[in-house]
Amino acid sequence: MRKSRLIKAGNFSLGGNSPVRVESMLKSSLDDVDSNLKELKELERAGCELVRMAIPSRKALKVYEILQKETSLPLMGDFHFSSLLVKEAIEKGMKMVRINPGNLRESSLKDLVSIFKRNEILVRIGINAASFPNPLPPGEEGAKEMVKILREWLKPFDKSSHSLVICSLKSSDVKTTVLANQIFSADSDYPLHLGITEAGGGLEGTIKSSVGIGILLWQGIGDTIRVSLTGPSTDEVKVGYEILKSLGIRKRGIEFISCPTCGRARINVEEILAKVKEISQPYAKELTGLKIAVMGCEVNGPGEAKEANLGLAGGKAYALFFKKGKIIQKVKKEKMIDIFKEELKKLSKERKSC
Amino acid sequence: MRKSRLIKAGNFSLGGNSPVRVESMLKSSLDDVDSNLKELKELERAGCELVRMAIPSRKALKVYEILQKETSLPLMGDFHFSSLLVKEAIEKGMKMVRINPGNLRESSLKDLVSIFKRNEILVRIGINAASFPNPLPPGEEGAKEMVKILREWLKPFDKSSHSLVICSLKSSDVKTTVLANQIFSADSDYPLHLGITEAGGGLEGTIKSSVGIGILLWQGIGDTIRVSLTGPSTDEVKVGYEILKSLGIRKRGIEFISCPTCGRARINVEEILAKVKEISQPYAKELTGLKIAVMGCEVNGPGEAKEANLGLAGGKAYALFFKKGKIIQKVKKEKMIDIFKEELKKLSKERKSC
């Protein structure tokens, strides 16, 4: 496991022994402050821990000032092209900044770093393979080039001992992204922000991000993640947590286990799973970490879902309820959902009395 | 890259230099032959390359016999508990069989192996951590135990030099699955079937499978994959291909790149991406490997999606069309979709004339 340096900014921490963080980015139009506020609230409810927002103009900076007052979530400004705008943002109290070496002049960096240092600004240096005027090729060559550029940009930070720095190396190609992060992390302790850029729409984006981020997390690399999806920002947070949960890195809500069904299934697993999830939703927070199983048949069901704290499996005219592999009840199918509700209530009571 | 042994059965090959295969399993009720036939056709259209079907009874065997005559896809019978049923299936001409060491008596194995050998049966020994009467614990201990059992079961196959064998080591826990496959593959050249069991419903199952299978494929491990989802079997195939595509292991259909949108976006990326995908659908086969991009803004769009064969990016009142980063047209927004159709047709013509 790679040990990254701990970074603190206000109540927010990253790297070191902090949990791997889940980020997203505001998608609402900068013309609509209310939409941005609503999105921020939704992101907070979804468990987002750091929110980035594009600052392409002075107008955006004004929106930022309003949002910052209204939210307790850390807000990071995302800058491209203009170092002037970065400076103005810091004057207005911005504490977290992402700069893109692909479109910011390197000559402006020295000046910026002293401002960062003076104002204790948390900076993400975010390399994006596609942002450069001369495209970086995919694969190992491109990955090495990305790392080389990042190391170059880190020099003035190291020189002035400004250590509030997060790094990221992204490409829309999973391989390139993984290689770049492996190479860089081998001899650096900067916290790494992980993500696959332009990952695409729902399913494709989810899979690309899960594969790419999953591979790196398995290797112990990664301190904060952002799943880029063409879709609501709350989906990015949801997918982010699912990736972390799949590797046991973070727990969040109830975990559902269900068989893929086959010719042996005696209940409509998909339908019942949907119902069970709906019923369990209000318990998500208090029963975090609980495992609930919906299995198609009684022959394999209770056995294959032994780790479930509560499970049900379809029989011919009845359903079996089980806990940790042990059958606790056999009920008529039509009563299945009612009994499930009762059992869930019991579990909630048990937890509360613990 | 791990090199596995090549396995051939009829026209079907696996391992060696074969592409990583995509599998699924029939989910229709065994009481309904027509549904099974329909599902098989759908799986074939989706690109499924090996179909497993549960054989819990003689009745199922009869269904198998009908299906086998109607499909050109290799069908693998999935057996639990009964070695007698395995023998009957082979008598009826079944050529591919999956057995589960968790619920088949080891004492029946020697007898079975000689039948497998005599009839040139392709066998998958499918270890499932949850199938055992005594539960295997998650984590490294359980992973080692799974591998130990698998090696035990392989002995009679090795002894009789029956080499038509595929192995799998599955758990509903991603970590355990990855560890077990790493340990086993380190000193064995048997082709490996990968999957996460009871992965759960749509999003969770997709993410768990993407992370687990993705990690192993990155390490060069895996010759055939099955994504277990509570949902249509064709979804399993779709997700399977997306996982392989994300690592550049297989190409299938058109690849879409799109930005996650931010405050800078000048078009509704999600909406336009959906339209673009719909329009492109009929071209999926002929334009396999093509990259199409939908980007929110003209400032970063063409640059960040430089690898796209065709892309569009939103401007204030217009949209830009670009190919490999070069702007080819600037059109009014209301004409965007029509122009996209035209450009796609052109690309199709170009490919055909190649």
Side-chain angles (χ1 to χ4, degrees), chain A residues 27 80-81 130 132 135 172 174-175 178 182 198 200 204 207-208 210-211 218-219 226 229-230 242 246-247 255-260 264 269 277 299 303-304 306-307, chain B residues 27 80-81 130 132 135 172 174-175 178 182 198 200 204 207-208 210-211 215 218 226 229-230 242 246-247 255-260 264 269 277 299 303-304 306-307:
Chain A
K27 304 191 181 205
H80 296 262
F81 304 103
F132 294 90
S172 64
V174 172
K175 261 193 195 177
V178 172
Q182 284 178 337
E198 288 84 39
E204 278 167 271
I207 294 170
K208 263 181 143 176
S210 302
V211 170
W218 178 259
Q219 298 174 10
R226 187 221 173 173
L229 291 178
T230 304
E242 289 298 333
S246 78
L247 288 167
E255 190 180 335
F256 295 93
I257 301 161
S258 62
C259 73
R264 279 188 299 268
V269 175
K277 280 189 176 176
V299 183
E304 293 202 359
K306 251 183 220 111
E307 71 271 40
Chain B
K27 304 192 180 201
H80 297 262
F81 303 103
F132 294 90
S172 64
V174 172
K175 261 194 196 177
V178 172
Q182 284 179 336
E198 290 83 41
E204 275 167 272
I207 293 170
K208 263 181 143 177
S210 301
V211 170
I215 290 169
W218 179 259
R226 187 223 173 171
L229 292 178
T230 304
E242 289 297 334
S246 78
L247 288 167
E255 189 181 334
F256 294 92
I257 301 159
S258 61
C259 73
R264 279 188 300 267
V269 175
K277 279 189 176 175
V299 182
E304 292 202 1
K306 252 183 219 112
E307 72 269 43

Coordinates of all heavy atoms in Angstrom, one line a residue, chain A residues 27 80-81 130 132 135 172 174-175 178 182 198 200 204 207-208 210-211 218-219 226 229-230 242 246-247 255-260 264 269 277 299 303-304 306-307, chain B residues 27 80-81 130 132 135 172 174-175 178 182 198 200 204 207-208 210-211 215 218 226 229-230 242 246-247 255-260 264 269 277 299 303-304 306-307:
Chain A
K27 N -22.5 20.9 -12.4 CA -22.8 20.9 -13.9 C -23.8 21.9 -14.3 O -24.1 22.1 -15.4 CB -23.3 19.5 -14.2 CG -22.3 18.4 -13.9 CD -22.7 17.0 -14.4 CE -21.7 16.0 -14.0 NZ -21.6 14.9 -14.9
H80 N -8.7 27.3 -16.3 CA -8.0 27.0 -17.6 C -7.6 28.3 -18.2 O -8.3 29.3 -18.0 CB -9.0 26.2 -18.5 CG -9.4 24.9 -18.0 ND1 -8.8 23.7 -18.4 CD2 -10.3 24.5 -17.1 CE1 -9.4 22.7 -17.8 NE2 -10.3 23.2 -17.0
F81 N -6.4 28.3 -18.8 CA -6.0 29.4 -19.6 C -5.5 30.6 -18.8 O -4.4 31.1 -19.0 CB -7.0 29.9 -20.6 CG -7.4 28.7 -21.6 CD1 -8.6 28.1 -21.4 CD2 -6.6 28.3 -22.6 CE1 -9.0 27.1 -22.2 CE2 -6.9 27.3 -23.4 CZ -8.1 26.7 -23.2
A130 N -5.4 15.1 -23.0 CA -6.0 15.7 -24.1 C -6.0 17.2 -24.1 O -6.4 17.9 -25.1 CB -7.4 15.2 -24.3
F132 N -3.4 19.2 -24.0 CA -2.2 19.9 -24.6 C -2.4 20.2 -26.0 O -3.0 19.5 -26.8 CB -1.0 18.9 -24.4 CG -0.6 18.7 -22.9 CD1 -1.2 17.7 -22.2 CD2 0.2 19.6 -22.3 CE1 -0.9 17.5 -20.9 CE2 0.5 19.5 -21.0 CZ 0.0 18.4 -20.3
P135 N -1.0 16.9 -29.0 CA -1.6 15.7 -28.3 C -0.6 14.7 -27.8 O 0.4 14.4 -28.4 CB -2.4 15.1 -29.4 CG -1.9 15.6 -30.7 CD -1.3 16.9 -30.4
S172 N -8.6 9.8 -21.4 CA -9.8 9.0 -21.6 C -9.5 7.6 -21.9 O -10.4 6.8 -21.9 CB -10.6 9.7 -22.8 OG -9.9 9.5 -24.0
V174 N -8.1 4.1 -20.5 CA -7.9 3.5 -19.2 C -6.4 3.1 -19.0 O -5.8 3.4 -18.0 CB -8.8 2.3 -19.0 CG1 -8.4 1.5 -17.7 CG2 -10.3 2.7 -18.9
K175 N -5.9 2.4 -20.0 CA -4.5 1.9 -19.9 C -3.5 3.1 -19.6 O -2.6 3.0 -18.8 CB -4.1 1.3 -21.3 CG -4.1 -0.2 -21.3 CD -3.4 -0.6 -22.6 CE -3.8 -2.1 -22.9 NZ -3.1 -2.5 -24.1
V178 N -3.8 4.4 -16.1 CA -3.3 3.5 -15.1 C -1.7 3.5 -15.1 O -1.1 3.7 -14.1 CB -3.8 2.0 -15.3 CG1 -3.0 1.1 -14.4 CG2 -5.3 1.9 -15.1
Q182 N 0.8 4.7 -12.1 CA 1.8 3.8 -11.6 C 3.2 4.4 -11.6 O 3.9 4.3 -10.6 CB 1.8 2.5 -12.4 CG 0.6 1.6 -12.2 CD 0.6 0.4 -13.0 OE1 1.2 0.4 -14.1 NE2 -0.1 -0.7 -12.6
E198 N -13.6 12.2 -19.8 CA -14.5 11.9 -21.0 C -14.9 10.4 -21.1 O -14.8 9.8 -22.1 CB -13.9 12.3 -22.3 CG -13.7 13.8 -22.5 CD -12.5 14.4 -21.9 OE1 -11.5 13.7 -21.9 OE2 -12.6 15.4 -21.3
G200 N -17.6 9.0 -21.0 CA -18.8 8.7 -21.8 C -20.0 8.7 -20.9 O -20.0 9.0 -19.7
E204 N -21.2 2.9 -20.3 CA -19.8 2.9 -20.7 C -18.9 3.7 -19.7 O -17.8 3.2 -19.3 CB -19.7 3.6 -22.0 CG -20.0 2.8 -23.2 CD -20.1 3.7 -24.4 OE1 -21.3 4.2 -24.7 OE2 -19.1 4.0 -25.1
I207 N -18.4 1.8 -16.4 CA -17.5 0.6 -16.6 C -16.1 1.1 -16.7 O -15.2 0.6 -16.1 CB -18.0 -0.3 -17.7 CG1 -19.4 -0.9 -17.3 CG2 -17.0 -1.3 -18.0 CD1 -20.1 -1.6 -18.5
K208 N -15.9 2.1 -17.6 CA -14.5 2.6 -17.8 C -13.9 3.1 -16.5 O -12.8 2.7 -16.1 CB -14.5 3.7 -18.8 CG -14.2 3.4 -20.2 CD -14.2 4.7 -21.0 CE -13.1 4.7 -22.1 NZ -13.2 5.9 -22.9
S210 N -14.9 2.3 -13.4 CA -14.8 1.2 -12.4 C -13.5 0.4 -12.7 O -12.8 0.1 -11.8 CB -16.0 0.3 -12.5 OG -17.2 1.0 -12.2
V211 N -13.3 0.1 -14.0 CA -12.1 -0.6 -14.3 C -10.8 0.2 -14.0 O -9.9 -0.3 -13.3 CB -12.1 -1.1 -15.8 CG1 -10.8 -1.7 -16.3 CG2 -13.3 -2.0 -16.1
W218 N -6.7 -1.1 -6.3 CA -6.1 -2.4 -5.9 C -4.7 -2.4 -5.6 O -4.1 -3.1 -4.8 CB -6.4 -3.4 -7.0 CG -5.9 -4.8 -6.7 CD1 -4.8 -5.4 -7.2 CD2 -6.5 -5.8 -5.9 NE1 -4.6 -6.6 -6.7 CE2 -5.7 -6.9 -5.9 CE3 -7.6 -5.8 -5.1 CZ2 -5.9 -8.1 -5.1 CZ3 -7.9 -6.9 -4.3 CH2 -7.1 -8.0 -4.4
Q219 N -3.9 -1.5 -6.4 CA -2.5 -1.4 -6.2 C -2.2 -0.4 -5.1 O -1.0 -0.1 -4.8 CB -1.9 -0.9 -7.5 CG -2.1 -1.9 -8.6 CD -1.6 -1.3 -10.0 OE1 -0.9 -0.3 -10.0 NE2 -1.9 -2.0 -11.1
R226 N -12.8 10.9 -8.7 CA -14.0 11.4 -9.4 C -14.3 10.6 -10.6 O -13.5 10.3 -11.4 CB -13.7 12.8 -9.8 CG -15.0 13.5 -10.4 CD -14.8 14.3 -11.6 NE -16.1 14.7 -12.1 CZ -16.2 15.5 -13.2 NH1 -15.2 16.0 -13.7 NH2 -17.4 15.8 -13.6
L229 N -19.0 11.3 -15.5 CA -20.1 10.8 -16.2 C -20.9 11.9 -16.9 O -21.0 12.9 -16.4 CB -21.1 10.0 -15.3 CG -20.6 8.7 -14.6 CD1 -21.7 8.2 -13.7 CD2 -20.2 7.7 -15.7
T230 N -21.4 11.6 -18.1 CA -22.3 12.5 -18.8 C -23.7 12.1 -18.2 O -24.3 11.2 -18.5 CB -22.3 12.2 -20.3 OG1 -21.0 12.4 -20.8 CG2 -23.2 13.2 -21.0
E242 N -19.8 3.1 -4.9 CA -19.9 1.7 -5.2 C -18.5 1.1 -5.6 O -18.2 0.0 -5.2 CB -20.8 1.5 -6.4 CG -22.3 1.7 -6.1 CD -22.9 0.8 -5.0 OE1 -22.4 -0.3 -4.9 OE2 -23.8 1.2 -4.3
S246 N -16.9 -1.9 -3.4 CA -16.6 -3.2 -4.0 C -15.3 -3.7 -3.6 O -15.0 -4.9 -3.6 CB -16.6 -3.1 -5.6 OG -15.5 -2.5 -6.1
L247 N -14.4 -2.8 -3.2 CA -13.0 -3.3 -2.7 C -12.9 -3.2 -1.2 O -11.8 -3.3 -0.6 CB -11.9 -2.4 -3.4 CG -11.7 -2.8 -4.9 CD1 -10.8 -1.7 -5.5 CD2 -11.1 -4.2 -5.0
E255 N -25.7 -3.2 1.7 CA -25.1 -3.9 0.5 C -26.1 -5.0 0.1 O -26.6 -5.8 0.9 CB -23.8 -4.6 0.8 CG -23.1 -5.1 -0.5 CD -21.7 -5.7 -0.2 OE1 -21.1 -5.3 0.8 OE2 -21.3 -6.6 -0.9
F256 N -26.5 -5.1 -1.2 CA -27.4 -6.1 -1.7 C -26.7 -7.2 -2.4 O -25.8 -6.9 -3.2 CB -28.5 -5.4 -2.5 CG -29.4 -4.5 -1.8 CD1 -29.0 -3.1 -1.7 CD2 -30.4 -4.9 -1.0 CE1 -29.8 -2.3 -1.0 CE2 -31.2 -4.1 -0.3 CZ -30.9 -2.7 -0.3
I257 N -27.1 -8.4 -2.1 CA -26.5 -9.6 -2.8 C -27.7 -10.2 -3.5 O -28.8 -10.4 -2.9 CB -25.9 -10.6 -1.8 CG1 -24.8 -9.9 -1.0 CG2 -25.4 -11.8 -2.5 CD1 -24.5 -10.6 0.3
S258 N -27.5 -10.6 -4.8 CA -28.6 -11.3 -5.4 C -28.1 -12.2 -6.5 O -27.0 -11.9 -7.1 CB -29.6 -10.3 -6.0 OG -29.0 -9.5 -7.0
C259 N -28.7 -13.3 -6.7 CA -28.2 -14.2 -7.7 C -28.6 -13.7 -9.1 O -29.6 -12.9 -9.2 CB -28.7 -15.6 -7.5 SG -30.4 -15.8 -7.8
P260 N -27.9 -14.1 -10.1 CA -28.2 -13.6 -11.5 C -29.5 -14.3 -12.0 O -29.9 -14.0 -13.1 CB -27.0 -13.9 -12.3 CG -26.3 -15.1 -11.6 CD -26.7 -15.0 -10.1
R264 N -33.3 -22.4 -12.5 CA -33.8 -22.9 -11.3 C -34.6 -21.9 -10.4 O -35.2 -22.3 -9.4 CB -32.5 -23.3 -10.4 CG -31.9 -24.6 -10.7 CD -30.8 -25.0 -9.7 NE -29.8 -24.0 -9.7 CZ -28.7 -24.1 -10.4 NH1 -28.5 -25.2 -11.2 NH2 -27.7 -23.2 -10.4
V269 N -36.5 -12.6 -9.3 CA -35.5 -12.0 -8.4 C -35.4 -10.5 -8.7 O -35.3 -9.7 -7.7 CB -34.1 -12.7 -8.6 CG1 -33.0 -11.9 -7.8 CG2 -34.2 -14.1 -8.2
K277 N -35.1 -3.2 -2.2 CA -34.3 -2.0 -2.1 C -35.1 -0.8 -1.8 O -34.6 0.0 -1.0 CB -33.6 -1.8 -3.5 CG -32.4 -2.7 -3.8 CD -31.7 -2.2 -5.0 CE -30.4 -3.1 -5.2 NZ -29.8 -2.7 -6.5
V299 N -32.5 -24.1 -2.9 CA -31.4 -25.1 -2.9 C -30.1 -24.5 -2.6 O -29.3 -24.9 -1.8 CB -31.4 -25.9 -4.2 CG1 -30.3 -27.0 -4.2 CG2 -32.8 -26.5 -4.5
G303 N -27.3 -20.9 1.2 CA -25.8 -21.3 1.2 C -25.0 -20.3 0.5 O -24.0 -19.8 1.0
E304 N -25.4 -19.9 -0.7 CA -24.6 -19.0 -1.5 C -24.6 -17.6 -1.0 O -23.7 -16.8 -1.3 CB -25.0 -19.0 -3.0 CG -24.8 -20.4 -3.6 CD -24.7 -20.3 -5.1 OE1 -24.9 -19.2 -5.7 OE2 -24.5 -21.4 -5.7
K306 N -24.5 -16.8 2.3 CA -24.3 -17.1 3.8 C -23.9 -15.8 4.5 O -24.1 -15.7 5.7 CB -23.1 -18.1 3.9 CG -23.6 -19.4 4.4 CD -22.4 -20.3 4.5 CE -22.7 -21.7 4.1 NZ -21.9 -22.1 2.8
E307 N -23.2 -14.9 3.9 CA -22.8 -13.7 4.6 C -23.9 -12.7 4.8 O -23.7 -11.7 5.5 CB -21.6 -13.0 3.8 CG -21.9 -12.3 2.5 CD -21.9 -13.2 1.3 OE1 -22.3 -14.4 1.4 OE2 -21.4 -12.8 0.3
Chain B
K27 N -31.7 -17.6 -18.5 CA -32.4 -17.3 -17.3 C -33.9 -17.6 -17.4 O -34.6 -17.5 -16.4 CB -32.3 -15.8 -17.0 CG -30.9 -15.3 -16.9 CD -30.7 -13.9 -16.3 CE -29.2 -13.6 -16.3 NZ -29.0 -12.5 -15.3
H80 N -25.2 -29.4 -10.5 CA -25.0 -29.3 -9.0 C -25.5 -30.6 -8.4 O -26.5 -31.2 -8.9 CB -25.8 -28.1 -8.4 CG -25.3 -26.8 -8.9 ND1 -24.4 -26.0 -8.2 CD2 -25.5 -26.2 -10.1 CE1 -24.1 -24.9 -8.9 NE2 -24.8 -25.0 -10.0
F81 N -24.9 -31.1 -7.4 CA -25.3 -32.3 -6.6 C -25.3 -33.6 -7.3 O -24.8 -34.6 -6.7 CB -26.8 -32.0 -6.1 CG -26.9 -30.8 -5.3 CD1 -27.5 -29.6 -5.8 CD2 -26.4 -30.7 -4.0 CE1 -27.5 -28.4 -5.0 CE2 -26.4 -29.5 -3.2 CZ -27.0 -28.4 -3.8
A130 N -19.2 -19.8 -1.9 CA -20.4 -19.9 -1.1 C -21.1 -21.2 -1.3 O -22.1 -21.5 -0.6 CB -21.3 -18.8 -1.5
F132 N -20.0 -24.2 -0.6 CA -19.5 -25.3 0.3 C -20.4 -25.4 1.6 O -20.8 -24.4 2.1 CB -18.0 -25.1 0.7 CG -17.1 -25.2 -0.5 CD1 -16.8 -24.1 -1.3 CD2 -16.6 -26.5 -0.9 CE1 -16.0 -24.3 -2.4 CE2 -15.8 -26.6 -2.0 CZ -15.5 -25.5 -2.7
P135 N -18.7 -22.8 5.1 CA -18.4 -21.6 4.4 C -16.9 -21.3 4.4 O -16.2 -21.5 5.4 CB -19.2 -20.5 5.2 CG -19.5 -21.1 6.5 CD -19.6 -22.6 6.3
S172 N -18.5 -13.7 -4.0 CA -19.2 -12.5 -4.2 C -18.4 -11.3 -3.7 O -18.7 -10.1 -3.9 CB -20.6 -12.5 -3.5 OG -20.4 -12.6 -2.1
V174 N -15.1 -9.2 -4.1 CA -14.1 -8.9 -5.1 C -12.7 -9.2 -4.7 O -11.9 -9.9 -5.5 CB -14.2 -7.4 -5.6 CG1 -13.1 -7.0 -6.5 CG2 -15.5 -7.1 -6.2
K175 N -12.3 -8.8 -3.5 CA -10.9 -9.1 -3.1 C -10.6 -10.6 -3.1 O -9.5 -11.0 -3.5 CB -10.8 -8.6 -1.6 CG -10.2 -7.3 -1.4 CD -9.8 -7.1 0.0 CE -9.5 -5.7 0.4 NZ -9.2 -5.5 1.8
V178 N -10.2 -11.9 -6.6 CA -8.9 -11.5 -7.2 C -7.8 -12.3 -6.6 O -6.9 -12.8 -7.4 CB -8.7 -10.0 -7.1 CG1 -7.3 -9.6 -7.5 CG2 -9.8 -9.2 -7.8
Q182 N -5.2 -14.9 -8.6 CA -3.8 -14.5 -8.6 C -3.0 -15.7 -8.2 O -2.0 -16.1 -8.8 CB -3.5 -13.3 -7.7 CG -3.9 -12.0 -8.3 CD -3.6 -10.9 -7.4 OE1 -3.5 -11.0 -6.2 NE2 -3.5 -9.7 -7.9
E198 N -23.1 -13.6 -7.5 CA -24.1 -12.8 -6.8 C -23.7 -11.3 -6.7 O -23.7 -10.7 -5.6 CB -24.3 -13.4 -5.3 CG -25.0 -14.7 -5.3 CD -24.0 -15.8 -5.5 OE1 -22.9 -15.8 -4.9 OE2 -24.4 -16.8 -6.2
G200 N -25.2 -8.8 -7.6 CA -26.3 -7.9 -7.3 C -26.9 -7.3 -8.5 O -26.6 -7.7 -9.7
E204 N -24.8 -1.8 -9.0 CA -23.8 -2.5 -8.1 C -23.1 -3.6 -8.8 O -21.9 -3.8 -8.6 CB -24.6 -3.0 -6.9 CG -24.8 -2.0 -5.8 CD -25.9 -2.6 -4.8 OE1 -27.1 -2.4 -5.1 OE2 -25.5 -3.3 -3.9
I207 N -20.6 -2.6 -11.4 CA -19.4 -2.0 -10.8 C -18.5 -3.0 -10.2 O -17.3 -3.1 -10.4 CB -19.8 -0.8 -9.9 CG1 -20.4 0.3 -10.6 CG2 -18.6 -0.4 -9.1 CD1 -21.1 1.4 -9.8
K208 N -19.2 -3.9 -9.4 CA -18.4 -5.0 -8.8 C -17.7 -5.8 -9.8 O -16.5 -6.2 -9.7 CB -19.3 -5.9 -8.0 CG -19.4 -5.6 -6.5 CD -20.3 -6.6 -5.9 CE -19.9 -7.1 -4.5 NZ -20.8 -8.0 -3.9
S210 N -17.0 -5.0 -13.0 CA -16.0 -4.2 -13.7 C -14.7 -4.1 -12.9 O -13.6 -4.3 -13.5 CB -16.5 -2.8 -14.0 OG -17.7 -2.9 -14.8
V211 N -14.8 -3.9 -11.6 CA -13.7 -3.7 -10.8 C -12.9 -5.0 -10.7 O -11.7 -5.1 -10.9 CB -14.0 -3.2 -9.4 CG1 -12.9 -3.3 -8.4 CG2 -14.6 -1.7 -9.5
I215 N -9.4 -5.8 -12.7 CA -8.1 -5.9 -12.0 C -7.4 -7.2 -12.5 O -6.2 -7.1 -12.8 CB -8.4 -6.0 -10.5 CG1 -8.8 -4.7 -9.9 CG2 -7.1 -6.5 -9.8 CD1 -9.3 -4.8 -8.5
W218 N -6.1 -6.8 -16.2 CA -5.0 -5.9 -16.2 C -3.7 -6.7 -15.9 O -2.6 -6.4 -16.4 CB -5.1 -4.8 -15.2 CG -3.9 -3.8 -15.1 CD1 -3.0 -3.9 -14.2 CD2 -3.6 -2.8 -16.0 NE1 -2.0 -2.9 -14.5 CE2 -2.4 -2.2 -15.6 CE3 -4.2 -2.3 -17.2 CZ2 -1.8 -1.2 -16.3 CZ3 -3.6 -1.3 -17.9 CH2 -2.4 -0.7 -17.4
R226 N -17.7 -13.9 -17.4 CA -19.2 -13.8 -17.3 C -19.5 -12.7 -16.2 O -19.0 -12.8 -15.1 CB -19.8 -15.1 -16.9 CG -21.3 -15.0 -16.9 CD -22.0 -15.6 -15.8 NE -23.5 -15.3 -15.8 CZ -24.4 -15.8 -15.0 NH1 -24.0 -16.8 -14.1 NH2 -25.6 -15.5 -15.1
L229 N -25.4 -10.7 -13.4 CA -26.2 -9.6 -13.1 C -27.6 -10.1 -12.8 O -28.1 -11.0 -13.5 CB -26.3 -8.5 -14.2 CG -25.0 -7.7 -14.6 CD1 -25.3 -6.8 -15.7 CD2 -24.6 -6.9 -13.4
T230 N -28.3 -9.5 -11.9 CA -29.7 -9.7 -11.7 C -30.4 -8.8 -12.8 O -30.7 -7.7 -12.5 CB -30.2 -9.3 -10.3 OG1 -29.4 -10.0 -9.4 CG2 -31.6 -9.7 -10.1
E242 N -18.1 -4.2 -22.7 CA -17.6 -2.9 -22.3 C -16.4 -3.0 -21.4 O -15.5 -2.2 -21.5 CB -18.7 -2.1 -21.5 CG -19.9 -1.6 -22.4 CD -19.5 -0.6 -23.5 OE1 -18.5 0.1 -23.3 OE2 -20.2 -0.6 -24.5
S246 N -12.9 -1.4 -22.5 CA -12.2 -0.4 -21.7 C -10.7 -0.6 -21.6 O -10.0 0.4 -21.4 CB -12.9 -0.3 -20.3 OG -12.4 -1.3 -19.5
L247 N -10.3 -1.8 -21.7 CA -8.9 -2.1 -21.6 C -8.2 -2.4 -23.0 O -7.1 -2.9 -23.1 CB -8.6 -3.3 -20.7 CG -8.8 -3.0 -19.2 CD1 -8.9 -4.3 -18.3 CD2 -7.7 -2.1 -18.7
E255 N -17.3 3.6 -30.3 CA -17.0 4.0 -29.0 C -17.4 5.5 -28.8 O -17.1 6.3 -29.7 CB -15.5 3.9 -28.7 CG -15.1 4.1 -27.2 CD -13.7 4.0 -26.9 OE1 -13.0 3.2 -27.6 OE2 -13.2 4.6 -26.0
F256 N -18.1 5.8 -27.8 CA -18.5 7.2 -27.6 C -17.7 7.9 -26.5 O -17.4 7.3 -25.5 CB -20.0 7.3 -27.2 CG -20.9 6.8 -28.4 CD1 -21.3 5.4 -28.4 CD2 -21.3 7.6 -29.4 CE1 -22.0 5.0 -29.5 CE2 -22.1 7.2 -30.4 CZ -22.4 5.8 -30.5
I257 N -17.3 9.1 -26.8 CA -16.5 9.9 -25.9 C -17.4 11.1 -25.6 O -18.0 11.7 -26.5 CB -15.2 10.4 -26.5 CG1 -14.3 9.2 -26.9 CG2 -14.5 11.3 -25.5 CD1 -13.3 9.6 -27.9
S258 N -17.6 11.5 -24.3 CA -18.3 12.7 -24.0 C -17.8 13.3 -22.8 O -17.4 12.6 -21.9 CB -19.8 12.4 -23.9 OG -20.1 11.5 -22.9
C259 N -17.9 14.6 -22.7 CA -17.4 15.3 -21.5 C -18.5 15.2 -20.4 O -19.7 15.0 -20.7 CB -17.1 16.7 -21.8 SG -18.5 17.8 -22.0
P260 N -18.1 15.2 -19.2 CA -19.1 15.1 -18.1 C -19.9 16.4 -17.9 O -20.8 16.4 -17.1 CB -18.2 14.9 -16.8 CG -16.9 15.5 -17.2 CD -16.7 15.4 -18.6
R264 N -19.3 25.3 -18.1 CA -18.9 25.8 -19.4 C -19.8 25.3 -20.6 O -19.7 25.8 -21.7 CB -17.4 25.5 -19.7 CG -16.4 26.4 -19.0 CD -15.0 26.1 -19.6 NE -14.6 24.7 -19.3 CZ -14.0 24.4 -18.2 NH1 -13.6 25.3 -17.3 NH2 -13.6 23.1 -18.0
V269 N -25.4 18.0 -23.2 CA -24.6 16.9 -23.7 C -25.3 15.6 -23.6 O -25.3 14.7 -24.5 CB -23.2 16.9 -22.9 CG1 -22.4 15.6 -23.3 CG2 -22.4 18.1 -23.2
K277 N -26.2 8.5 -30.2 CA -26.1 7.1 -30.0 C -27.2 6.3 -30.8 O -27.0 5.3 -31.4 CB -26.2 6.7 -28.5 CG -24.9 6.9 -27.8 CD -25.0 6.3 -26.4 CE -23.7 6.4 -25.7 NZ -23.8 5.9 -24.3
V299 N -14.3 25.4 -26.5 CA -13.0 25.8 -26.1 C -12.1 24.6 -25.9 O -11.0 24.5 -26.4 CB -13.0 26.6 -24.8 CG1 -11.6 27.1 -24.3 CG2 -13.9 27.9 -24.9
G303 N -10.2 19.7 -28.7 CA -8.9 19.3 -28.2 C -8.9 18.1 -27.4 O -8.2 17.2 -27.5
E304 N -9.9 18.1 -26.4 CA -9.9 17.0 -25.5 C -10.4 15.7 -26.1 O -10.3 14.7 -25.5 CB -10.8 17.4 -24.3 CG -10.2 18.5 -23.4 CD -10.7 18.6 -22.0 OE1 -11.6 17.8 -21.7 OE2 -10.3 19.5 -21.3
K306 N -9.6 14.7 -29.2 CA -8.7 14.7 -30.4 C -8.8 13.3 -31.1 O -8.6 13.2 -32.3 CB -7.3 15.0 -30.0 CG -6.8 16.3 -30.5 CD -5.4 16.5 -30.1 CE -5.1 17.9 -29.6 NZ -4.8 18.0 -28.2
E307 N -8.9 12.3 -30.3 CA -8.9 10.9 -30.9 C -10.2 10.6 -31.7 O -10.2 9.5 -32.3 CB -8.5 9.9 -29.9 CG -9.6 9.6 -28.9 CD -9.6 10.4 -27.6 OE1 -9.3 11.6 -27.8 OE2 -9.8 9.9 -26.5

